[in-house]
Amino acid sequence: MAETVAIILAAGGSTRMNTQLAKVLHEVCGRPMLAYVLDACRKVGIKRICVIVGFGAEQVQAQFANAEGIVWVRQDQQLGTGHAVACCKEYLKDFDGQVLVLCGDGPLIRSHTLKALLEKHETGQSAATLATAVLDDPTGYGRIVRDAYGNMQGIVEDSDCTPEQRAIKEINPSNYLFNCEILFEALERVQPDNVKKEYYLTDAVSGIIATGHKVEAITAVPPDEAVGINSRAQLSAASKIMQQRIQRRLMEDGVTIVDPDNTWIDARAQIGQDTVIEPFTYIHGEVTIGRSCRVGPFAHLRHGTVLENDVVLGVFTEVKNSILSDGVRARHHSYLGDATVGQNVNIGAGSITANFDGENVNRTRIGDNCYIGSGAVLIAPLDLKDGSNVGAGTVVSQDSANELGGKAKVDVVQ
Ligand code: UD1
Ligand code: CA
């Protein structure tokens, strides 16, 4: 198979999103939408990915500064998707392979679908192959126009459609494979003669057909992968689809999610077998949960949380940047922030780590087998030795813990 370079279009601002942030940085289940498109390319073995940036370019590049294999290409003026691809001409001038073009605002595309597209392009020996989708409501998307024999004739943008064309349900999700040389030749001929006065990539497809090259369109994109994000409403619709995928994967891995519609789990979260997630649990950021834990209802787990195995977190328990070892229990109304909690520790109702002193965030260490009674305030920095016993309602500082030899039986109510 010829080498494939990917081009991801991510330079457009977004009037419809009404945002200051580059559109591709808006998050879907905790990750910027561009991250998913990059993942899909990498999963099909693509090593070189050109990302076209313009609006908010610095923000985008800064956020993906550590990502591998990205070639950043600037499009200073957003003159359309065809113009955006043409910005790679210089970089690809000696490249004689094929080019996969995707949109940064289409994070739901799966590698499985891209693989089918790559295979079809290879076997069909076409100049271009498009993966299309059939939607009940095609509003807003470019429509695929075919002749009476089913051969593809071109793509017409929603704003340029005749009423008959508008009724077509087969749409362009913007997942294309092109022969590189033929693509750039066709782009030279594209004119901005449309309602938006933009240079459309879709017109390059019609141009390739017009010059007698073979172009194939395969209906390979399931509707739930075709959603392009142009508005906040589409962002939330895409997030919902992604959330269902995340939860389905976790359930296949042996996690019980009692009420999927009332649970939100970040794409980066990892959860072990036989853990039960109760309703109204919200997990945001890189969070790792081990085996046979019970989380929720109404638990809030934030970035940097690690629960080892058999941990129980109950109602209104918030955990941030903390490690909770095997068998820790915090069943009611607690906040554990920047804490390392040893094995089999019981955290009583309403107890918290006071981790912020107004200037610095400090850590709390609680040794193995400690018992923290209800309503305790643990003032960080604090190091409680194994087996410490903190009475209900106690405010514990390092000094008060030390007075009792570090292994505190601190039961003074202050
Ligand atoms: C585009 C397609 C449409 C398709 C839809 C799928 C064109 C002309 N239309 O429409 O057929 O159904 O995607 O979601 O291609 N961009 C740039 N530079 C530009 C303009 C856009 O990088 O000058 C980027 C945007 O940031 C975005 C992507 O290209 O990520 C698509 O542009 P957008 O304006 O969202 O196109 P649509 O109207 O959605
Ligand atoms: Ca779009």
Side-chain angles (χ1 to χ4, degrees):
M1 208 188 260
E3 193 200 336
T4 308
V5 165
I7 296 179
I8 301 178
L9 307 183
S14 184
T15 354
R16 286 169 283 183
M17 291 277 281
N18 190 5
T19 176
Q20 304 281 325
L21 188 68
K23 179 162 67 168
V24 293
L25 293 184
H26 281 266
E27 288 183 2
V28 172
C29 298
R31 299 177 76 208
M33 53 177 109
L34 177 61
Y36 295 95
V37 187
L38 291 169
D39 278 358
C41 291
R42 294 201 180 103
K43 278 194 195 147
V44 291
I46 295 176
K47 302 267 177 330
R48 277 200 284 169
I49 306 173
C50 299
V51 181
I52 318 290
V53 283
F55 182 88
E58 292 76 18
Q59 297 170 313
V60 180
Q61 286 178 244
Q63 191 142 347
F64 287 86
N66 300 324
E68 276 175 29
I70 297 184
V71 179
W72 298 105
V73 177
R74 281 299 268 259
Q75 184 197 24
D76 291 323
Q77 268 185 296
Q78 282 71 60
L79 302 179
T81 50
H83 179 261
V85 173
C87 292
C88 296
K89 190 176 171 185
E90 184 54 28
Y91 175 70
L92 292 173
K93 67 177 186 301
D94 299 321
F95 176 67
D96 68 352
Q98 57 198 24
V99 182
L100 173 70
V101 181
L102 302 173
C103 286
D105 67 355
L108 295 171
I109 188 68
R110 281 185 158 123
S111 57
H112 176 78
T113 306
L114 295 184
K115 196 159 170 284
L117 176 60
L118 284 158
E119 282 167 8
K120 186 71 187 174
H121 189 70
E122 174 85 0
T123 52
Q125 298 280 306
S126 302
T129 310
L130 277 72
T132 69
V134 175
L135 301 186
D136 288 338
D137 179 9
T139 311
Y141 296 94
R143 309 295 204 282
I144 306 294
V145 179
R146 295 183 187 258
D147 66 16
Y149 302 100
N151 298 315
M152 180 163 166
Q153 292 182 306
I155 305 167
V156 182
E157 286 309 293
D158 190 76
S159 46
D160 299 308
C161 278
T162 62
E164 292 75 32
Q165 288 168 334
R166 199 156 283 136
I168 297 172
K169 297 202 161 186
E170 188 181 9
I171 63 103
N172 167 36
S174 289
N175 309 135
Y176 322 75
L177 256 179
F178 294 98
N179 167 295
C180 185
E181 203 184 328
I182 297 174
L183 169 64
F184 285 99
E185 258 170 37
L187 283 171
E188 303 223 324
R189 297 190 301 273
V190 169
Q191 295 299 320
D193 49 6
N194 48 60
V195 171
K196 292 193 182 161
K197 305 274 175 279
E198 288 185 359
Y199 294 85
Y200 285 166
L201 175 62
T202 45
D203 286 349
V205 176
S206 321
I208 293 172
I209 297 170
T211 47
H213 290 288
K214 179 176 170 192
V215 174
E216 264 193 295
I218 53 163
T219 324
V221 184
D224 75 339
E225 293 181 34
V227 180
I229 300 177
N230 297 325
S231 64
R232 306 264 178 178
Q234 283 170 327
L235 179 66
S236 79
S239 297
K240 191 150 208 145
I241 293 169
M242 192 65 82
Q243 184 57 217
Q244 283 166 354
R245 286 186 195 172
I246 293 165
Q247 294 194 16
R248 205 172 307 135
R249 169 176 52 81
L250 290 168
M251 290 192 264
E252 281 162 13
D253 288 349
V255 177
T256 293
I257 299 172
V258 175
D259 185 357
D261 287 341
N262 292 303
T263 301
W264 194 96
I265 303 175
D266 193 291
R268 295 163 293 179
Q270 296 178 42
I271 308 182
Q273 194 185 35
D274 289 324
T275 282
V276 177
I277 308 293
E278 300 277 7
F280 304 103
T281 293
Y282 182 76
I283 298 174
H284 186 262
E286 281 172 28
V287 170
T288 306
I289 301 175
R291 279 178 281 107
S292 303
C293 295
R294 249 197 133 78
V295 177
F298 298 99
H300 182 192
L301 273 56
R302 294 165 52 198
H303 196 65
T305 292
V306 176
L307 308 185
E308 292 187 344
N309 303 322
D310 303 301
V311 172
V312 180
L313 299 184
V315 282
F316 302 112
T317 300
E318 175 177 340
V319 184
K320 181 211 74 169
N321 193 29
S322 293
I323 300 168
L324 275 52
S325 307
D326 291 353
V328 168
R329 295 170 310 284
R331 291 181 195 271
H332 336 264
H333 302 262
S334 285
Y335 172 60
L336 297 167
D338 305 283
T340 302
V341 184
Q343 293 185 5
N344 302 317
V345 169
N346 186 85
I347 309 279
S351 293
I352 64 147
T353 52
N355 58 335
F356 184 52
D357 60 15
E359 278 174 26
N360 297 308
V361 170
N362 302 304
R363 282 203 80 82
T364 300
R365 283 187 190 75
I366 302 174
D368 292 342
N369 305 309
C370 289
Y371 177 85
I372 312 295
S374 297
V377 177
L378 308 178
I379 302 174
L382 178 67
D383 197 343
L384 284 178
K385 296 283 185 298
D386 292 354
S388 296
N389 187 334
V390 173
T394 313
V395 177
V396 188
S397 64
Q398 190 63 59
D399 289 345
S400 57
N402 285 344
E403 269 170 33
L404 292 140
K407 176 165 171 148
K409 166 116 177 67
V410 194
D411 50 12
V412 194
V413 178
Q414 303 208 343

mmCIF file of all heavy atoms in Angstrom, residues 9-12 16 23 52 75 78-81 84 103-105 141-142 155 157 172-174 176 196 200-202 228 230, ligand 1:
data_model
loop_
_atom_site.group_PDB
_atom_site.id
_atom_site.type_symbol
_atom_site.label_atom_id
_atom_site.label_comp_id
_atom_site.label_asym_id
_atom_site.label_seq_id
_atom_site.Cartn_x
_atom_site.Cartn_y
_atom_site.Cartn_z
ATOM 1 N N LEU A 9 -8.229 19.307 8.931
ATOM 2 C CA LEU A 9 -8.596 20.725 8.801
ATOM 3 C C LEU A 9 -9.047 21.260 10.161
ATOM 4 O O LEU A 9 -10.030 20.785 10.731
ATOM 5 C CB LEU A 9 -9.729 20.874 7.791
ATOM 6 C CG LEU A 9 -9.477 20.223 6.422
ATOM 7 C CD1 LEU A 9 -10.633 20.488 5.480
ATOM 8 C CD2 LEU A 9 -8.182 20.730 5.820
ATOM 9 N N ALA A 10 -8.303 22.240 10.651
ATOM 10 C CA ALA A 10 -8.609 22.743 11.994
ATOM 11 C C ALA A 10 -8.344 24.243 12.101
ATOM 12 O O ALA A 10 -8.070 24.758 13.178
ATOM 13 C CB ALA A 10 -7.760 21.987 13.024
ATOM 14 N N ALA A 11 -8.433 24.952 10.974
ATOM 15 C CA ALA A 11 -8.066 26.370 10.997
ATOM 16 C C ALA A 11 -9.252 27.301 11.194
ATOM 17 O O ALA A 11 -9.078 28.456 11.569
ATOM 18 C CB ALA A 11 -7.356 26.731 9.692
ATOM 19 N N GLY A 12 -10.457 26.791 10.954
ATOM 20 C CA GLY A 12 -11.625 27.670 10.998
ATOM 21 C C GLY A 12 -11.954 28.150 12.403
ATOM 22 O O GLY A 12 -11.736 27.437 13.380
ATOM 23 N N ARG A 16 -20.788 29.928 14.591
ATOM 24 C CA ARG A 16 -21.972 29.278 15.151
ATOM 25 C C ARG A 16 -21.751 28.802 16.584
ATOM 26 O O ARG A 16 -22.679 28.714 17.366
ATOM 27 C CB ARG A 16 -22.409 28.111 14.240
ATOM 28 C CG ARG A 16 -23.065 28.586 12.966
ATOM 29 C CD ARG A 16 -23.248 27.466 11.965
ATOM 30 N NE ARG A 16 -21.992 27.123 11.281
ATOM 31 C CZ ARG A 16 -21.882 26.214 10.322
ATOM 32 N NH1 ARG A 16 -22.947 25.531 9.939
ATOM 33 N NH2 ARG A 16 -20.731 25.961 9.738
ATOM 34 N N LYS A 23 -12.119 26.070 17.722
ATOM 35 C CA LYS A 23 -13.206 25.077 17.812
ATOM 36 C C LYS A 23 -12.701 23.693 18.191
ATOM 37 O O LYS A 23 -13.296 23.009 19.032
ATOM 38 C CB LYS A 23 -13.972 25.021 16.487
ATOM 39 C CG LYS A 23 -15.088 23.992 16.515
ATOM 40 C CD LYS A 23 -16.142 24.178 15.437
ATOM 41 C CE LYS A 23 -15.663 23.948 14.047
ATOM 42 N NZ LYS A 23 -16.785 23.856 13.082
ATOM 43 N N ILE A 52 -3.920 21.639 9.812
ATOM 44 C CA ILE A 52 -4.035 23.012 9.307
ATOM 45 C C ILE A 52 -4.605 23.873 10.428
ATOM 46 O O ILE A 52 -5.714 23.613 10.913
ATOM 47 C CB ILE A 52 -5.017 23.113 8.114
ATOM 48 C CG1 ILE A 52 -4.842 21.952 7.146
ATOM 49 C CG2 ILE A 52 -4.885 24.466 7.417
ATOM 50 C CD1 ILE A 52 -3.590 21.971 6.358
ATOM 51 N N GLN A 75 -2.782 28.351 7.902
ATOM 52 C CA GLN A 75 -3.677 28.945 6.909
ATOM 53 C C GLN A 75 -4.072 30.290 7.517
ATOM 54 O O GLN A 75 -4.907 30.348 8.422
ATOM 55 C CB GLN A 75 -4.920 28.064 6.702
ATOM 56 C CG GLN A 75 -5.831 28.594 5.593
ATOM 57 C CD GLN A 75 -7.228 28.005 5.631
ATOM 58 O OE1 GLN A 75 -7.712 27.545 6.676
ATOM 59 N NE2 GLN A 75 -7.920 28.024 4.507
ATOM 60 N N GLN A 78 -8.946 32.204 6.426
ATOM 61 C CA GLN A 78 -9.780 31.026 6.249
ATOM 62 C C GLN A 78 -10.673 31.201 5.022
ATOM 63 O O GLN A 78 -11.784 31.707 5.114
ATOM 64 C CB GLN A 78 -10.606 30.760 7.519
ATOM 65 C CG GLN A 78 -9.778 30.107 8.621
ATOM 66 C CD GLN A 78 -8.755 31.027 9.257
ATOM 67 O OE1 GLN A 78 -9.112 32.050 9.824
ATOM 68 N NE2 GLN A 78 -7.482 30.687 9.139
ATOM 69 N N LEU A 79 -10.140 30.770 3.885
ATOM 70 C CA LEU A 79 -10.850 30.980 2.624
ATOM 71 C C LEU A 79 -11.626 29.751 2.167
ATOM 72 O O LEU A 79 -12.106 29.707 1.047
ATOM 73 C CB LEU A 79 -9.848 31.406 1.533
ATOM 74 C CG LEU A 79 -9.033 32.670 1.839
ATOM 75 C CD1 LEU A 79 -8.062 32.967 0.699
ATOM 76 C CD2 LEU A 79 -9.952 33.879 2.068
ATOM 77 N N GLY A 80 -11.690 28.748 3.031
ATOM 78 C CA GLY A 80 -12.478 27.560 2.678
ATOM 79 C C GLY A 80 -11.671 26.280 2.824
ATOM 80 O O GLY A 80 -10.448 26.303 2.928
ATOM 81 N N THR A 81 -12.396 25.146 2.817
ATOM 82 C CA THR A 81 -11.742 23.852 3.065
ATOM 83 C C THR A 81 -10.768 23.474 1.944
ATOM 84 O O THR A 81 -9.736 22.848 2.192
ATOM 85 C CB THR A 81 -12.798 22.742 3.237
ATOM 86 O OG1 THR A 81 -13.731 22.814 2.148
ATOM 87 C CG2 THR A 81 -13.557 22.895 4.538
ATOM 88 N N ALA A 84 -7.702 25.438 2.485
ATOM 89 C CA ALA A 84 -6.979 24.886 3.646
ATOM 90 C C ALA A 84 -6.090 23.712 3.225
ATOM 91 O O ALA A 84 -4.904 23.650 3.583
ATOM 92 C CB ALA A 84 -7.978 24.439 4.714
ATOM 93 N N CYS A 103 -11.809 16.266 8.962
ATOM 94 C CA CYS A 103 -12.059 17.549 9.628
ATOM 95 C C CYS A 103 -11.815 17.417 11.125
ATOM 96 O O CYS A 103 -12.244 16.436 11.749
ATOM 97 C CB CYS A 103 -13.502 17.996 9.409
ATOM 98 S SG CYS A 103 -13.782 18.589 7.750
ATOM 99 N N GLY A 104 -11.178 18.420 11.682
ATOM 100 C CA GLY A 104 -10.934 18.434 13.129
ATOM 101 C C GLY A 104 -12.223 18.548 13.926
ATOM 102 O O GLY A 104 -12.242 18.257 15.128
ATOM 103 N N ASP A 105 -13.311 18.952 13.268
ATOM 104 C CA ASP A 105 -14.575 19.076 14.008
ATOM 105 C C ASP A 105 -15.453 17.841 13.852
ATOM 106 O O ASP A 105 -16.646 17.884 14.116
ATOM 107 C CB ASP A 105 -15.329 20.365 13.616
ATOM 108 C CG ASP A 105 -15.840 20.356 12.179
ATOM 109 O OD1 ASP A 105 -15.556 19.405 11.429
ATOM 110 O OD2 ASP A 105 -16.535 21.328 11.793
ATOM 111 N N TYR A 141 -25.289 19.431 5.987
ATOM 112 C CA TYR A 141 -24.163 18.711 5.385
ATOM 113 C C TYR A 141 -24.179 18.818 3.865
ATOM 114 O O TYR A 141 -25.238 19.030 3.255
ATOM 115 C CB TYR A 141 -24.216 17.228 5.772
ATOM 116 C CG TYR A 141 -24.044 16.986 7.257
ATOM 117 C CD1 TYR A 141 -25.141 16.869 8.087
ATOM 118 C CD2 TYR A 141 -22.775 16.893 7.815
ATOM 119 C CE1 TYR A 141 -24.996 16.654 9.453
ATOM 120 C CE2 TYR A 141 -22.601 16.677 9.172
ATOM 121 C CZ TYR A 141 -23.716 16.561 9.991
ATOM 122 O OH TYR A 141 -23.557 16.354 11.332
ATOM 123 N N GLY A 142 -22.993 18.617 3.254
ATOM 124 C CA GLY A 142 -22.919 18.519 1.803
ATOM 125 C C GLY A 142 -23.613 17.238 1.357
ATOM 126 O O GLY A 142 -23.465 16.199 1.998
ATOM 127 N N ILE A 155 -20.494 16.758 -4.971
ATOM 128 C CA ILE A 155 -21.042 17.083 -3.646
ATOM 129 C C ILE A 155 -21.595 18.504 -3.738
ATOM 130 O O ILE A 155 -20.906 19.400 -4.238
ATOM 131 C CB ILE A 155 -19.941 17.058 -2.565
ATOM 132 C CG1 ILE A 155 -19.218 15.701 -2.568
ATOM 133 C CG2 ILE A 155 -20.530 17.359 -1.183
ATOM 134 C CD1 ILE A 155 -17.937 15.695 -1.755
ATOM 135 N N GLU A 157 -23.049 21.618 -1.448
ATOM 136 C CA GLU A 157 -23.190 22.110 -0.067
ATOM 137 C C GLU A 157 -24.649 22.454 0.229
ATOM 138 O O GLU A 157 -25.382 22.894 -0.669
ATOM 139 C CB GLU A 157 -22.313 23.337 0.133
ATOM 140 C CG GLU A 157 -20.839 23.013 0.220
ATOM 141 C CD GLU A 157 -20.547 21.920 1.226
ATOM 142 O OE1 GLU A 157 -20.738 22.153 2.429
ATOM 143 O OE2 GLU A 157 -20.146 20.825 0.821
ATOM 144 N N ASN A 172 -21.896 14.023 3.039
ATOM 145 C CA ASN A 172 -20.434 13.981 3.059
ATOM 146 C C ASN A 172 -19.937 14.272 4.477
ATOM 147 O O ASN A 172 -19.996 15.405 4.929
ATOM 148 C CB ASN A 172 -19.925 15.064 2.089
ATOM 149 C CG ASN A 172 -18.438 15.322 2.265
ATOM 150 O OD1 ASN A 172 -17.674 14.399 2.531
ATOM 151 N ND2 ASN A 172 -18.041 16.584 2.113
ATOM 152 N N PRO A 173 -19.447 13.270 5.189
ATOM 153 C CA PRO A 173 -18.939 13.544 6.549
ATOM 154 C C PRO A 173 -17.520 14.125 6.533
ATOM 155 O O PRO A 173 -16.947 14.365 7.581
ATOM 156 C CB PRO A 173 -18.935 12.157 7.209
ATOM 157 C CG PRO A 173 -19.436 11.191 6.196
ATOM 158 C CD PRO A 173 -19.369 11.852 4.861
ATOM 159 N N SER A 174 -16.969 14.316 5.339
ATOM 160 C CA SER A 174 -15.598 14.819 5.175
ATOM 161 C C SER A 174 -14.547 13.813 5.601
ATOM 162 O O SER A 174 -13.666 14.105 6.414
ATOM 163 C CB SER A 174 -15.399 16.144 5.923
ATOM 164 O OG SER A 174 -16.097 17.174 5.280
ATOM 165 N N TYR A 176 -12.127 11.677 3.347
ATOM 166 C CA TYR A 176 -11.756 11.429 1.954
ATOM 167 C C TYR A 176 -10.346 10.835 1.847
ATOM 168 O O TYR A 176 -9.483 11.168 2.655
ATOM 169 C CB TYR A 176 -11.672 12.715 1.154
ATOM 170 C CG TYR A 176 -12.640 13.828 1.385
ATOM 171 C CD1 TYR A 176 -12.539 14.659 2.509
ATOM 172 C CD2 TYR A 176 -13.612 14.118 0.425
ATOM 173 C CE1 TYR A 176 -13.401 15.734 2.666
ATOM 174 C CE2 TYR A 176 -14.471 15.205 0.584
ATOM 175 C CZ TYR A 176 -14.365 16.004 1.709
ATOM 176 O OH TYR A 176 -15.206 17.078 1.863
ATOM 177 N N LYS A 196 -21.214 30.982 -0.234
ATOM 178 C CA LYS A 196 -20.301 31.486 0.807
ATOM 179 C C LYS A 196 -19.034 32.139 0.259
ATOM 180 O O LYS A 196 -18.205 32.639 1.036
ATOM 181 C CB LYS A 196 -19.916 30.339 1.746
ATOM 182 C CG LYS A 196 -21.062 29.827 2.596
ATOM 183 C CD LYS A 196 -20.519 28.937 3.699
ATOM 184 C CE LYS A 196 -21.633 28.363 4.542
ATOM 185 N NZ LYS A 196 -21.191 27.187 5.290
ATOM 186 N N TYR A 200 -14.064 25.526 -1.965
ATOM 187 C CA TYR A 200 -14.542 24.297 -1.348
ATOM 188 C C TYR A 200 -13.699 23.085 -1.743
ATOM 189 O O TYR A 200 -13.468 22.847 -2.936
ATOM 190 C CB TYR A 200 -15.981 24.000 -1.804
ATOM 191 C CG TYR A 200 -17.070 24.843 -1.198
ATOM 192 C CD1 TYR A 200 -18.343 24.834 -1.775
ATOM 193 C CD2 TYR A 200 -16.866 25.604 -0.058
ATOM 194 C CE1 TYR A 200 -19.379 25.575 -1.230
ATOM 195 C CE2 TYR A 200 -17.904 26.348 0.493
ATOM 196 C CZ TYR A 200 -19.153 26.335 -0.098
ATOM 197 O OH TYR A 200 -20.176 27.054 0.428
ATOM 198 N N LEU A 201 -13.335 22.285 -0.774
ATOM 199 C CA LEU A 201 -12.689 21.001 -1.062
ATOM 200 C C LEU A 201 -13.641 20.098 -1.846
ATOM 201 O O LEU A 201 -13.224 19.327 -2.711
ATOM 202 C CB LEU A 201 -12.277 20.331 0.262
ATOM 203 C CG LEU A 201 -11.700 18.922 0.161
ATOM 204 C CD1 LEU A 201 -10.411 18.911 -0.662
ATOM 205 C CD2 LEU A 201 -11.421 18.366 1.557
ATOM 206 N N THR A 202 -14.916 20.235 -1.542
ATOM 207 C CA THR A 202 -15.915 19.392 -2.212
ATOM 208 C C THR A 202 -15.927 19.648 -3.726
ATOM 209 O O THR A 202 -16.223 18.740 -4.498
ATOM 210 C CB THR A 202 -17.304 19.678 -1.619
ATOM 211 O OG1 THR A 202 -17.474 21.095 -1.507
ATOM 212 C CG2 THR A 202 -17.432 19.076 -0.237
ATOM 213 N N GLY A 228 -20.697 16.366 12.551
ATOM 214 C CA GLY A 228 -19.693 17.426 12.535
ATOM 215 C C GLY A 228 -20.136 18.465 13.550
ATOM 216 O O GLY A 228 -21.332 18.714 13.703
ATOM 217 N N ASN A 230 -20.586 22.050 14.630
ATOM 218 C CA ASN A 230 -20.592 23.456 14.227
ATOM 219 C C ASN A 230 -21.251 24.348 15.262
ATOM 220 O O ASN A 230 -21.197 25.566 15.157
ATOM 221 C CB ASN A 230 -21.367 23.609 12.910
ATOM 222 C CG ASN A 230 -20.696 22.858 11.772
ATOM 223 O OD1 ASN A 230 -19.469 22.778 11.707
ATOM 224 N ND2 ASN A 230 -21.491 22.295 10.892
HETATM 225 C C1 UD1 B 1 -17.879 20.662 5.530
HETATM 226 C C2 UD1 B 1 -18.065 20.169 4.081
HETATM 227 C C3 UD1 B 1 -19.424 19.486 3.980
HETATM 228 C C4 UD1 B 1 -19.527 18.366 4.983
HETATM 229 C C5 UD1 B 1 -19.208 18.848 6.408
HETATM 230 C C6 UD1 B 1 -19.064 17.640 7.331
HETATM 231 C C7 UD1 B 1 -16.895 21.697 2.576
HETATM 232 C C8 UD1 B 1 -17.050 22.833 1.645
HETATM 233 N N1 UD1 B 1 -18.008 21.292 3.191
HETATM 234 O O1 UD1 B 1 -18.904 21.628 5.769
HETATM 235 O O2 UD1 B 1 -19.593 18.972 2.659
HETATM 236 O O3 UD1 B 1 -20.813 17.789 4.936
HETATM 237 O O4 UD1 B 1 -17.956 19.562 6.433
HETATM 238 O O5 UD1 B 1 -18.983 18.016 8.656
HETATM 239 O O6 UD1 B 1 -15.809 21.188 2.699
HETATM 240 N N2 UD1 B 1 -11.625 24.823 7.868
HETATM 241 C C9 UD1 B 1 -10.337 25.269 7.695
HETATM 242 N N3 UD1 B 1 -10.117 26.347 6.903
HETATM 243 C C10 UD1 B 1 -11.112 26.995 6.251
HETATM 244 C C11 UD1 B 1 -12.426 26.528 6.418
HETATM 245 C C12 UD1 B 1 -12.652 25.433 7.244
HETATM 246 O O7 UD1 B 1 -9.396 24.713 8.242
HETATM 247 O O8 UD1 B 1 -10.810 27.963 5.541
HETATM 248 C C13 UD1 B 1 -11.856 23.665 8.737
HETATM 249 C C14 UD1 B 1 -12.783 23.971 9.902
HETATM 250 O O9 UD1 B 1 -12.020 24.392 11.014
HETATM 251 C C15 UD1 B 1 -13.477 22.643 10.139
HETATM 252 C C16 UD1 B 1 -13.466 21.987 8.771
HETATM 253 O O10 UD1 B 1 -12.505 22.657 7.992
HETATM 254 O O11 UD1 B 1 -12.759 21.836 11.061
HETATM 255 C C17 UD1 B 1 -14.827 22.049 8.064
HETATM 256 O O12 UD1 B 1 -15.200 23.401 7.904
HETATM 257 P P1 UD1 B 1 -16.667 23.890 8.262
HETATM 258 O O13 UD1 B 1 -16.739 25.343 8.011
HETATM 259 O O14 UD1 B 1 -17.083 23.373 9.559
HETATM 260 O O15 UD1 B 1 -17.441 23.145 7.066
HETATM 261 P P2 UD1 B 1 -18.936 22.634 7.047
HETATM 262 O O16 UD1 B 1 -19.835 23.750 6.668
HETATM 263 O O17 UD1 B 1 -19.244 21.867 8.275
#
